[in-house]
Amino acid sequence: MVRQPSGVSSSKIPRSLQRALARFSSALFLAAALTQGSQAQKALTWQEIRDKFEEANPSLQAGQIGVDESRAEEVTAYLRPNPTLSLLADQIDPFNGGPPHGSFAYLLNSATVNYLHERQHKRELRRDSAQDATKIAVSSQADLERNLLFNLRSAFVQALQGKAVLELAKENLVYYDHVLGVNRDRYKVGDIAQVDLDRLELQRVQYESDLQTAEVNLRTAKIQLLALLNDRTPIEQFDVTGPFDFSSQTAPLDDVRQAALDTRPDLRAAVQSVDKAKTDHRLAVANGSTDPTFGFDVGRNPPIDQYIGFSVNIPLRIFDRNQGEKQRTLLDIDRNDRLMQAARAQVFNDVDSAYATVTSSVILLQPYKDRYLKQADRVRDTIAFSYQHGAASLLDFLNAQADYRSVQLNYLNLVASYLEAANQLNLAVGREVLQ
């Protein structure tokens, strides 16, 4: 905040200067607030990312609207037929030679109400069919969320991988710069030749390239996450956090298979489609029955002052008994049953493939964690020390640096592959069985 100089009255300061000072003070306050806001931006965990996704993703919201539309169709399916009202005014004679007592002397007026009575529970079957359609819509919405969560988790894993690779690239560059500094000092005292220093300098470009590639990959993963979250947060203010590691503990395959059979929404939708096909067949049979129309009328027909009447209209279903729809719905039951069997086989295929990939990733990762990472670090430090003291060649030193970089990068990529495989297994099961 800009303070007024002591001993100076505000009345002696020009108003233009006062306004300028006020604007400057406001700008400083706004800049401080924005800086605090950007610093307050915390890295989001997977659960926080998922919660934001479920609240803001437009595809999920559109799918939920579709479910609500299906529920509204249940109301329409269960509505009763509307009665019909017919009004009649007949025997009006306005022509010459008509009745002596006026054109309306023989007026016939009547009101008739007709109502279609639906037999064999047609209305209830329509409601049941609409409710089955809603169940399928709910399962389809869950399947949409399952697939979108797979994409979200994949982008989240890529962001974690990008952060880990970026940290490794920074660490390698700092380490190599330290080595370059030592060798520059050796060159100054004549301990190494100019060509060796040049080769060391040229090798640095690889580490710079690794750093730039890691930054681009991290930004790309964040962009994908923000798109799925429907979020317009600047990339610099958006960050994620979470464990970038693997677990050697995996549930038995039979348990994972059973969990998939109990959970997979697409399989549940296939089972529900069979139930709906059976309901539609019963409805087609019911629609082949005859529905009578009952009528009631009241009126006046001179010389009868008042009268009432009743009627029944019964269609004779001699030719059209809904034969084609009965046959189609019966075939549809078999078709949906085959599709359900195919969906069940696909569940086993997805689970077995993802489970094998997870197991293979763990087998590859375990020796890296137990031996290779430590060995690569020990070899790099030993060869670097030996080279600096003339006990190793430049080629040995460069090879040790390349081996260390390769082992570390391979390990991070394998961890990412494990997390992707775990994500694929979660997709195959329909819920998170591996974090």
Side-chain angles (χ1 to χ4, degrees):
M1 182 176 181
V2 179
R3 298 182 179 274
Q4 177 180 316
S6 59
V8 179
S9 173
S10 61
S11 60
K12 294 181 180 180
I13 301 176
R15 291 186 176 179
S16 60
L17 181 58
Q18 292 181 16
R19 289 194 294 269
L21 289 173
R23 287 195 297 268
F24 181 67
S25 178
S26 299
L28 287 177
F29 178 78
L30 179 60
L34 290 175
T35 302
Q36 292 176 358
S38 62
Q39 293 175 350
Q41 179 70 30
K42 70 182 186 70
L44 300 177
T45 63
W46 164 242
Q47 188 59 48
E48 291 170 335
I49 289 287
R50 180 170 179 171
D51 292 341
K52 287 173 65 68
F53 165 78
E54 292 175 349
E55 292 176 2
N57 184 265
S59 297
L60 275 184
Q61 293 172 347
Q64 185 58 47
I65 293 174
V67 174
D68 295 337
E69 289 176 349
S70 184
R71 289 196 176 100
E73 291 176 358
E74 294 180 27
V75 178
T76 302
Y78 198 53
L79 294 176
R80 296 177 182 274
N82 287 322
T84 60
L85 172 65
S86 300
L87 300 177
L88 173 66
D90 203 357
Q91 300 184 177
I92 301 173
D93 189 359
F95 307 104
N96 294 331
H101 300 292
S103 301
F104 299 96
Y106 301 125
L107 176 65
L108 168 64
N109 50 33
S110 65
T112 304
V113 176
N114 294 311
Y115 180 73
L116 176 68
H117 174 66
E118 295 185 302
R119 298 172 58 246
Q120 296 193 8
H121 308 288
K122 293 183 179 67
R123 190 164 65 95
E124 289 78 6
L125 288 171
R126 286 199 304 269
R127 178 202 58 197
D128 294 344
S129 179
Q131 288 177 346
D132 290 340
T134 300
K135 293 177 183 177
I136 296 173
V138 171
S139 297
S140 299
Q141 173 69 4
D143 193 54
L144 172 65
E145 182 176 0
R146 176 179 72 99
N147 285 278
L148 288 176
L149 279 175
F150 170 77
N151 296 334
L152 182 72
R153 181 74 176 186
S154 180
F156 183 78
V157 169
Q158 290 175 13
L160 293 180
Q161 180 186 10
K163 289 183 65 175
V165 173
L166 181 61
E167 289 301 319
L168 175 63
K170 290 179 178 178
E171 176 191 336
N172 287 340
L173 187 59
V174 170
Y175 180 89
Y176 200 78
D177 284 341
H178 171 71
V179 172
L180 279 179
V182 172
N183 283 279
R184 288 191 186 103
D185 294 337
R186 293 179 62 194
Y187 169 73
K188 292 178 182 178
V189 299
D191 196 17
I192 62 174
Q194 176 70 50
V195 65
D196 289 341
L197 181 61
D198 290 341
R199 292 179 66 183
L200 290 170
E201 295 279 3
L202 289 174
Q203 192 67 22
R204 188 180 188 276
V205 71
Q206 181 64 54
Y207 297 97
E208 293 177 345
S209 176
D210 290 346
L211 181 62
Q212 292 300 318
T213 302
E215 289 179 350
V216 170
N217 291 339
L218 179 57
R219 289 180 65 88
T220 301
K222 287 184 178 181
I223 290 171
Q224 293 176 352
L225 271 176
L226 289 171
L228 289 169
L229 296 176
N230 195 26
D231 195 342
R232 300 297 180 267
T233 302
I235 297 177
E236 294 75 13
Q237 299 179 13
F238 178 75
D239 195 13
V240 297
T241 184
F244 189 72
D245 202 352
F246 73 98
S247 173
S248 58
Q249 301 297 324
T250 308
L253 178 58
D254 290 339
D255 294 346
V256 177
R257 283 178 171 179
Q258 188 59 48
L261 293 176
D262 297 337
T263 309
R264 276 281 287 263
D266 55 338
L267 178 59
R268 185 166 63 248
V271 175
Q272 292 165 345
S273 295
V274 175
D275 295 337
K276 185 179 184 302
K278 293 178 180 178
T279 302
D280 290 342
H281 178 64
R282 292 198 300 270
L283 179 59
V285 173
N287 286 334
S289 64
T290 299
D291 294 334
T293 301
F294 297 101
F296 172 78
D297 63 292
V298 58
R300 173 182 178 277
N301 186 13
I304 302 175
D305 289 337
Q306 296 176 355
Y307 73 87
I308 60 173
F310 301 94
S311 66
V312 178
N313 183 5
I314 302 177
L316 300 178
R317 306 203 69 165
I318 299 174
F319 306 108
D320 178 10
R321 296 188 300 276
N322 208 31
Q323 302 96 319
E325 192 64 14
K326 291 177 184 177
Q327 183 66 23
R328 185 196 68 79
T329 52
L330 186 62
L331 293 172
D332 198 46
I333 295 175
D334 292 337
R335 183 181 70 87
N336 282 281
D337 185 67
R338 300 295 187 277
L339 292 175
M340 181 193 67
Q341 295 176 18
R344 185 182 179 89
Q346 186 64 45
V347 168
F348 283 109
N349 176 71
D350 294 345
V351 169
D352 291 352
S353 298
Y355 192 90
T357 305
V358 169
T359 304
S360 175
S361 299
V362 171
I363 292 174
L364 290 173
L365 279 166
Q366 200 64 54
Y368 267 87
K369 193 171 187 178
D370 294 341
R371 300 190 305 275
Y372 298 153
L373 292 177
K374 299 175 184 177
Q375 289 175 351
D377 187 64
R378 185 168 61 250
V379 168
R380 182 188 69 165
D381 292 343
T382 301
I383 297 297
F385 180 83
S386 300
Y387 174 70
Q388 291 171 10
H389 292 81
S393 66
L394 175 62
L395 183 60
D396 292 336
F397 171 73
L398 294 178
N399 287 337
Q401 289 291 326
D403 290 342
Y404 175 83
R405 169 182 168 275
S406 177
V407 169
Q408 292 288 339
L409 190 58
N410 286 343
Y411 175 73
L412 295 181
N413 290 335
L414 279 174
V415 172
S417 297
Y418 165 82
L419 293 176
E420 287 286 355
N423 187 28
Q424 190 72 42
L425 184 60
N426 293 337
L427 173 71
V429 175
R431 61 180 175 86
E432 289 192 354
V433 292
L434 287 176
Q435 296 294 329

